[in-house]
Amino acid sequence: NAIERYEGLEDTELQGLFDAFTEEQPYLFTFCMTMGQQMKNEDLQELLIEYLLLIWQSFKMETGKVGITTEVSIEESETHVMQVLEDMNFDLDDMENDENVATYLNSFKQTNIVRFVTEEIMNFLNDEDEDDDFEKDADNEDAGILLSCLLISIESLDRVTG
């Protein structure tokens, strides 16, 4: 599967994968890097790139060929994802206990990768040993940006891959 394949890559292979992604998905890359600039936590910024590559590879492995995202497909996905999250009163702290969130996350074609990145983000938040409430809030905000960006990316790739 994509996760196992990704974890086994050497640095030069990761760089090649990154270069191929930026060439094949320039609009999605630009969108995600712009969202990533809003995050203050550098670890989460790095995770954004890693998870984006993993998501893209997952699509490639499952479908063989991934369509090219466009500005329009990304904007449509962003509008949809943000509206769904807003309608659910999405809260990262209560995400594991919210049936609506689980149903929404399971609605994606790439359910395994959605579950994986969501669990990884939750693990990151749960592992953070923060005494400073301000820093913990900043990490929660960054994690929300990260999750939103990844969900938008997955939906955008879904739209162009069919």
Side-chain angles (χ1 to χ4, degrees):
N1 81 26
I3 296 166
E4 292 168 357
R5 182 177 182 273
Y6 183 82
E7 288 176 345
L9 293 177
E10 300 293 326
D11 287 344
T12 54
E13 294 170 309
L14 282 173
Q15 184 62 49
L17 188 62
F18 176 79
D19 293 343
F21 174 76
T22 59
E23 186 177 307
E24 290 182 33
Q25 299 293 338
Y27 296 112
L28 188 57
F29 173 73
T30 301
F31 172 79
C32 289
M33 292 304 97
T34 301
M35 280 191 82
Q37 289 174 349
Q38 298 172 37
M39 295 189 289
K40 293 155 192 69
N41 185 311
E42 290 182 17
D43 291 336
L44 288 177
Q45 289 175 339
E46 288 178 22
L47 283 178
L48 172 61
I49 294 169
E50 288 180 30
Y51 292 155
L52 197 54
L53 293 175
L54 181 61
I55 289 165
W56 178 61
Q57 279 301 293
S58 179
F59 271 86
K60 285 186 90 157
M61 287 179 75
E62 184 167 307
T63 63
K65 182 168 172 43
V66 178
I68 298 172
T69 55
T70 64
E71 289 178 78
V72 171
S73 67
I74 295 168
E75 287 173 15
E76 289 172 351
S77 296
E78 179 181 24
T79 300
H80 179 252
V81 168
M82 299 311 282
Q83 186 62 54
V84 168
L85 295 178
E86 184 179 314
D87 289 349
M88 287 190 303
N89 293 319
F90 182 77
D91 181 2
L92 271 173
D93 292 327
D94 196 36
M95 185 172 84
E96 295 171 323
N97 303 318
D98 191 328
E99 254 183 63
N100 291 331
V101 172
T103 300
Y104 173 61
L105 295 178
N106 286 327
S107 72
F108 286 88
K109 293 175 190 170
Q110 297 283 338
T111 305
N112 289 339
I113 200 73
V114 170
R115 243 186 257 130
F116 174 79
V117 295
T118 303
E119 287 172 10
E120 289 293 307
I121 292 168
M122 294 308 299
N123 289 341
F124 173 84
L125 290 175
N126 292 333
D127 288 347
E128 289 296 288
D129 188 23
E130 308 283 350
D131 292 329
D132 182 354
D133 284 342
F134 176 76
E135 195 167 324
K136 185 70 173 172
D137 288 345
D139 281 347
N140 278 348
E141 184 177 323
D142 283 357
I145 293 168
L146 174 61
L147 182 59
S148 299
C149 184
L150 295 175
L151 293 175
I152 291 164
S153 299
I154 292 167
E155 185 169 308
S156 295
L157 289 167
D158 266 346
R159 287 176 185 262
V160 298
T161 302

